[in-house]
Amino acid sequence: MTTPEKRMIFISLTDAPNGAENVLLMMATAVNGEMYFLKKHAFTGLKISEGVSKRYLSKKTIFWGFVKLIPILRKYKKDNVVMSTHPYLNAFLGFLKRIGYFRSKLIVRECTSVFTRFTGIKKRIYQIIYRMGYPAVDLVVCQTAIMKIQLLDHNRFLSERKILVQPNPVDFNKIIAKSDQPLINGDAKLDFICSAGRLIPEKGFPILIKAFKLIQHEHPKMKLLVLGEGKERASLINIIQENNLSDSVFLKGQIDNPAPYFKQAKLCVVSSIKEGFPNVLLEMMSVNSAVVSTLCAGGISEIPAIAKVEVNNVEALAKAMAEKLKHNQNPDAERAMQYLYSRRPEIFVQSILNALHQQN
């Protein structure tokens, strides 16, 4: 890909190795952009290559990162492009642009549908901050058509012309290369089903654990490995114990490189209840032909070569898992690779820059 003429700056709340942060990193890598992180992640952060310029504004608080970001923004000119992907940060940058503090082009990416995910006072806060900052945004990137509809429904002041639906990118060549690393702690000797994500209610891990319980009698030696960390760990441990699965279900914690687990798993599962779009699904597809996902986000129903089930349904998920374990051949493998190839980071960036150019 030819590097765009425009200088691109990517700003993130932290360098936590989550989906939204990984999207920015893929873009920055594709265009040799600059990255700013308001706060350095307390544990293992994103693995950023030496070719990407990066700067951490605070080691203590995100608030202090916001403060330090303000004078930095002043140096960027009209022909620069700033991009961010978290609602609070998006709105903050939009507000500074709205009052004329900085003049660069501003692209914001919606990492989730906050207006359907939250209710009450939290939803009201989002409505206020969007109204304050988003009118000055040059382009809003939504991961799915459903997300765009939800965004417009709750923000009538936004112009549909400024909203681009652009599916998430996946650097499948990089994932394939990383998948060749060995597993640790004896996990390579196991027959296992793998899932991954933050341990939060939206990921639906209680449903997955209960679905695994339903198929365990057919696969008594099978284990379930859940990669990730979060506030629901204690609750999930209780569910595991209540279902007498302490010897079969393991919460592995944060894994820096989950790709080898995805590759060696007998089955990969996304059990989420609601997502903007689960990037981990694309990573699983890159290295494993046996994948089951709930219909937790727009666009999943059109993905080839994976099994799809409704959300929040233990029995349906268990049935799909059992079927995939029994018949894991993938006649649509070529279509799946074509699908992933169309979502390369280079294509993602160029589509966004083309859409931005059309706004001028």
Side-chain angles (χ1 to χ4, degrees), residues 114-169:
V114 295
F115 300 103
T116 59
R117 181 174 177 178
F118 301 109
T119 59
I121 186 65
K122 196 163 188 177
K123 179 178 178 179
R124 182 59 182 156
I125 291 172
Y126 278 117
Q127 289 173 330
I128 292 171
I129 66 170
Y130 270 63
R131 192 66 183 84
M132 292 176 63
Y134 273 58
V137 170
D138 294 289
L139 185 69
V140 181
V141 179
C142 290
Q143 303 171 46
T144 65
I146 290 176
M147 184 179 284
K148 175 182 176 179
I149 292 170
Q150 293 168 342
L151 180 67
L152 287 170
D153 282 347
H154 292 87
N155 300 276
R156 298 301 175 88
F157 61 88
L158 286 175
S159 168
E160 184 174 1
R161 183 178 62 86
K162 290 190 174 184
I163 302 177
L164 171 69
V165 176
Q166 183 65 39
N168 285 348

Side-chain angles (χ1 to χ4, degrees), residues 157-188:
F157 61 88
L158 286 175
S159 168
E160 184 174 1
R161 183 178 62 86
K162 290 190 174 184
I163 302 177
L164 171 69
V165 176
Q166 183 65 39
N168 285 348
V170 57
D171 190 346
F172 64 90
N173 286 328
K174 181 178 179 180
I175 295 168
I176 291 170
K178 291 171 65 175
S179 70
D180 289 333
Q181 294 184 15
L183 297 183
I184 59 174
N185 299 328
D187 290 341

Side-chain angles (χ1 to χ4, degrees), residues 194-251:
C194 186
S195 190
R198 286 180 293 160
L199 306 185
I200 57 176
E202 291 82 2
K203 300 299 182 181
F205 289 131
I207 298 162
L208 173 59
I209 293 168
K210 293 172 184 177
F212 177 77
K213 170 87 170 174
L214 293 181
I215 68 170
Q216 191 188 28
H217 67 282
E218 297 180 18
H219 306 276
K221 295 183 179 180
M222 190 72 69
K223 310 299 181 185
L224 172 60
L225 306 185
V226 178
L227 318 182
E229 196 54 81
K231 61 184 180 181
E232 294 294 307
R233 169 175 279 273
S235 175
L236 292 175
I237 289 175
N238 287 336
I239 293 171
I240 292 168
Q241 292 174 343
E242 289 168 1
N243 285 276
N244 298 315
L245 293 172
S246 298
D247 293 331
S248 301
V249 179
F250 302 96
L251 306 181

Side-chain angles (χ1 to χ4, degrees), residues 170 172-173 176 285-288 304-305 330 332-344:
V170 57
F172 64 90
N173 286 328
I176 291 170
M285 288 179 60
S286 297
V287 294
N288 198 318
N330 189 354
D332 290 331
E334 184 175 345
R335 286 181 60 212
M337 291 309 296
Q338 290 174 348
Y339 173 85
L340 293 170
Y341 189 79
S342 71
R343 300 183 72 150
R344 288 174 298 152

Side-chain angles (χ1 to χ4, degrees), residues 38-42 56-62 64 68:
L38 302 194
K39 179 180 178 292
K40 187 169 179 58
H41 190 50
Y56 304 94
L57 302 186
S58 174
K59 292 184 178 180
K60 296 181 179 180
T61 67
I62 288 178
W64 190 238
K68 287 189 171 184

